[in-house]
Amino acid sequence: MTRILRVALPYGVFLAAALLSWNRWMEPFVDTGRELMVPRRISQGERLYRDVRYYYGPLAPYAAAATERVAGRSLAARICLAALVALAHIEALRRAARRMMPPWRDSLAASLAIAVAFFLRPGGCHLFPYSLATAIAVAAATWALLLSVDRARGSEPALALCLFAALASRPEIGLAAALLVLLGVFWLARDGRRGAAAVAVAASLAGALVVYAGLSLGTPLSTLRQEGWLAFLSVPPEFRSVYLAFSGLDRPGLRLAELALSLVVLLALGAVLVLLAFGSRRR
């Protein structure tokens, strides 16, 4: 019973946050139009990149278009698709925490991550993310990293599939995940696993390359770099300003001062915890 409660806690937090934010998931001014119209245009026969300008990989819009063809133009169906991605992400976070932490702490850590990050606004949430492609890529990359450290044999096909999903959703996230998988496998794995993992990574890269090449036929390279999936190689000015702000490089002096203050606070908190630990030992 205790184990069931431990496993269920992150899902319970997700459900509670979903109920508390019910029907307030969309951000009309943060990419909602793109998220709704790109799958719509694909479902009507237009082709990504050639007819529809889109910065990310093809997996998310084609999955949403397939959902639209099956269920009609239904917002509920679209939310169900995003919910499936969110549940897969939750399970990956829960398993990652379980590998690193003792019982209950792992469940609490995963629950905290879900409460803070899955419904953080602005920018939508995991039931209507500002970018379904990003949600799929991060969830798939997390699963790929987990599978890369799995000791069980036979996990390489699942590893290749997860890396392919990340690459086909956000190529830059997928490439980063593939690099981390290779580094982790060659650092930690036995010699017998290294070759199989390298083959899985190569297969995912080859599969993604075939998909991107097929969809890019008939589209000029300049268009792909400016308004297509190769845009991550030449970041548009609007994205560049956002990324600089997120990284803190827009005002480095202020960000370094904030970092120094945070370190001082953390060191002070750590000193208090150490003193409390010594005091409890004496008692």
Side-chain angles (χ1 to χ4, degrees):
M1 185 63 182
T2 303
R3 184 178 181 281
I4 294 175
L5 290 175
R6 238 177 53 228
V7 172
L9 181 59
Y11 294 97
V13 170
F14 178 79
L15 179 61
L19 291 175
L20 288 172
S21 61
W22 193 259
N23 273 344
R24 297 195 302 276
W25 301 319
M26 287 194 296
E27 287 284 351
F29 303 107
V30 186
D31 297 336
T32 295
R34 177 202 65 196
E35 289 294 297
L36 292 175
M37 287 308 301
V38 169
R40 176 66 174 172
R41 293 177 66 181
I42 292 173
S43 69
Q44 291 179 332
E46 295 187 66
R47 202 175 83 185
L48 200 64
Y49 308 129
R50 187 193 65 186
D51 306 316
V52 183
R53 300 293 182 255
Y54 188 68
Y55 285 120
Y56 305 143
L59 180 58
Y62 275 100
T67 302
E68 189 165 311
R69 284 176 179 171
V70 171
R73 202 171 188 192
S74 166
L75 188 59
R78 174 59 194 274
I79 290 171
C80 287
L81 174 62
L84 290 175
V85 177
L87 292 174
H89 199 172
I90 290 172
E91 183 62 17
L93 288 175
R94 191 188 68 79
R95 294 191 181 207
R98 188 181 65 187
R99 292 185 67 93
M100 295 183 288
M101 299 178 184
W104 278 112
R105 290 186 188 179
D106 58 345
S107 184
L108 290 172
S111 300
L112 179 62
I114 292 161
V116 171
F118 275 43
F119 290 87
L120 185 65
R121 299 172 74 89
C125 69
H126 266 50
L127 287 176
F128 198 97
Y130 86 95
S131 165
L132 182 63
T134 303
I136 293 175
V138 173
T142 306
W143 269 107
L145 293 174
L146 278 175
L147 291 168
S148 69
V149 296
D150 191 354
R151 297 181 182 275
R153 291 187 177 274
S155 60
E156 286 78 15
L159 170 62
L161 183 62
C162 289
L163 280 178
F164 172 79
L167 287 162
S169 298
R170 292 287 299 266
E172 67 275 32
I173 294 177
L175 289 172
L179 179 60
L180 288 173
V181 165
L182 287 176
L183 290 174
V185 166
F186 279 86
W187 182 264
L188 299 173
R190 300 183 298 273
D191 291 341
R193 267 270 354 251
R194 291 175 182 172
V199 169
V201 172
S204 66
L205 290 170
L209 186 60
V210 168
V211 169
Y212 280 112
L215 288 172
S216 300
L217 290 175
T219 305
L221 183 61
S222 59
T223 301
L224 293 174
R225 286 182 63 89
Q226 294 172 8
E227 299 178 291
W229 64 273
L230 283 174
F232 74 97
L233 296 176
S234 53
V235 180
E238 299 84 0
F239 284 17
R240 196 177 301 126
S241 62
V242 172
Y243 293 157
L244 284 173
F246 283 173
S247 64
L249 296 176
D250 59 332
R251 303 172 68 184
L254 176 61
R255 304 310 173 202
L256 286 173
E258 291 174 345
L259 180 61
L261 178 61
S262 301
L263 289 174
V264 169
V265 172
L266 287 174
L267 288 173
L269 180 60
V272 170
L273 292 175
V274 169
L275 290 175
L276 289 174
F278 278 115
S280 64
R281 283 185 181 184
R282 282 198 295 270
R283 285 197 298 273

